[in-house]
Every structure is written in structure tokens, then in C-alpha cells.
Amino acid sequence: MLVLLPPSETKAVGGDGPPLDLGRLAFPEPLDPVRAKLVDALVDLAADVPASLAVLGLSERQEQEVHRNAELRTSPTLPALDRYTGVLYDNLGLKTLTKAERSRAAHRLAVASALFGVVGGGDPIPAYRLSGGSVLPSVGPLGGLWRPVLGPVLAGVDLIDLRSAPYSSLAKIPHAITVRVVTEDAAGRRQAVSHFNKAHKGLLARAIVESRAEVKSVRSLVRIAAAAGLRLEPTADRALDLIV
């Protein structure tokens, strides 16, 4: 069972891996034509810094993000789980995992990406800036590019879908197990959590990679979460609430 995480807007800079090689990313044959098209579009757009800032929703103080896009083909890479930063990845706590847990993270976790569609946890990627809701002038809305190829690819994979809304729109995965982070009041009424959503998804992802047991079903996912002190309850055949 593969856990599909949302990416982060912020990325770790630098790296010690070789430049981007699309053929080394997950699902190369069906996804690489779209990946190559988007890399070309971002590199070309980066030649016009003001246009890049406007399209990517950045301020002038974030101009360095545009320069990173300009160097997509030549800049060093990091494994995807090291590249993405922010609350979810802080709570995953990659640096505090054992060697065995780190290996399981690379195999059990994947990350949704506006630029690459989906990458495995250990896939080597450069720093970049592109959001799921971005509209590149030369290609249009990203969903129009990704849905025809990414949906069929993910349809053949057993998934736990932890993506956020902008990335869920890039591919529908109706067969996936989904998790909603909620609070529960004294009367048992539940409300979706927004502020701490990513933090608790990070803790769930950590529980999955800490476990020696594979997630094979909703029931086994509930057991693995419970062993880590997390309360997961099924609300439908393939939907669960993570109650915090």
C-alpha cells in the first residue's frame, strides 16, 4: 500500500545528487512526456522574471524561486522526502528515523507533485516552484495535462490518499483509502481540521513507516495508527477519520 502525501510550497535548497533525470522517477514511461513538457515550460517562463512571479503567485522577495526554476535541468537533486519541507514533513521526522524506517519510507511513501505528477519518496528531484493550482501560459491549467495520464497510472496502485484539494484535482483515485483529520466535541459531533491537518497527516505517515507490518487493509491501518497512539475510525468502506 502506497501512501500519497501532499507536497509543500517550500523546498530544501541544494543537494548532492546528479541533475534531474526523468527516467529515474516513479512511473517514467507514462508520465515523462508531461513532466518534460512542464519542465520546458517552467524553464522558458523563468526567462521572464516578472511574468514568472505573477504566474506563480510570488512576491519580488521570492525571485530566487524563479532562478531555481531556470536551473531545473542542471541543479543538484535530493530524495523527494528530503526535498519537501514544512509542517507535514517536520512531523514525519525523516532525520530521526532509523535506517530501516528510512528505507521503508522511501518505498511506502510517495508525494503528489504539480511538476512531476507523483514521485517516490526516494526519487531524486531538484528544488522547484509550481503549485497544483498554477496556470502556465504555454500549457494552461495543470489538471488538463495530468488527469488523462496520472489517473490511469494511479488506478493500478493500492493507495492511501492524503493529498490536499489542489493536488486531488490533478487525478481522481476513487479506489483509494482516504483520511480526514477531525476534532470531536463532547456530543460526538465532528468537524474537519484545517490548521493542524498537515501535522497529523505527518504523524500518520510516520506511524506507517515505523511499523514493520505492511498496510494491507483499512483494518490494518487502524491497528498501525493505534499502536502509535493515533485514533483512526472508519466512516465508510475506504474512508476514515483521524480524530485529534
Side-chain angles (χ1 to χ4, degrees), residues 4-232:
L4 187 54
L5 303 174
S8 59
E9 295 291 343
T10 56
K11 314 286 190 304
V13 298
D16 55 10
L20 177 64
D21 178 355
L22 296 179
R24 296 184 64 192
L25 306 185
F27 312 109
E29 186 174 336
L31 300 187
D32 278 0
V34 177
R35 289 166 171 163
K37 186 171 185 177
L38 288 173
V39 168
D40 288 344
L42 267 189
V43 171
D44 290 346
L45 181 63
D48 186 337
V49 172
S52 289
L53 295 176
V55 168
L56 301 174
L58 302 174
S59 69
E60 291 183 358
R61 291 184 296 178
Q62 295 172 293
E63 184 175 321
Q64 185 58 40
E65 300 277 9
V66 178
H67 298 316
R68 293 190 185 108
N69 281 352
E71 298 169 352
L72 274 173
R73 296 193 189 94
T74 58
S75 59
T77 56
L78 281 172
L81 291 176
D82 292 295
R83 179 65 73 192
Y84 296 104
T85 61
V87 173
L88 188 153
Y89 295 90
D90 288 344
N91 282 272
L92 170 60
L94 198 70
K95 293 180 179 179
T96 62
L97 295 177
T98 67
K99 185 176 181 180
E101 291 165 349
R102 173 75 190 232
S103 177
R104 289 198 290 268
H107 289 90
R108 294 181 183 179
L109 305 182
V111 185
S113 167
L115 180 57
F116 301 117
V118 62
V119 290
D123 287 0
I125 59 171
Y128 69 93
R129 187 63 176 250
L130 184 67
S131 302
S134 298
V135 179
L136 297 179
S138 61
V139 299
L142 301 183
L145 283 177
W146 280 125
R147 279 192 292 270
V149 293
L150 189 55
V153 164
L154 296 179
V157 182
D158 289 331
L159 286 168
I160 300 169
D161 187 3
L162 301 185
R163 294 175 300 167
S164 52
Y167 296 91
S168 295
S169 69
L170 300 183
K172 294 182 179 180
I173 319 173
H175 70 287
I177 294 172
T178 58
V179 176
R180 183 179 68 144
V181 182
V182 301
T183 56
E184 187 175 70
D185 64 20
R189 293 184 295 262
R190 294 179 183 179
Q191 183 175 356
V193 171
S194 56
H195 184 65
F196 295 109
N197 181 291
K198 291 182 179 179
H200 291 286
K201 287 181 176 179
L203 293 174
L204 179 59
R206 183 180 179 96
I208 290 169
V209 301
E210 284 182 328
S211 173
R212 293 183 180 180
E214 293 274 358
V215 177
K216 296 182 178 180
S217 64
V218 167
R219 182 176 296 181
S220 64
L221 178 58
V222 171
R223 284 199 302 266
I224 288 169
L230 302 174
R231 181 184 171 195
L232 263 184

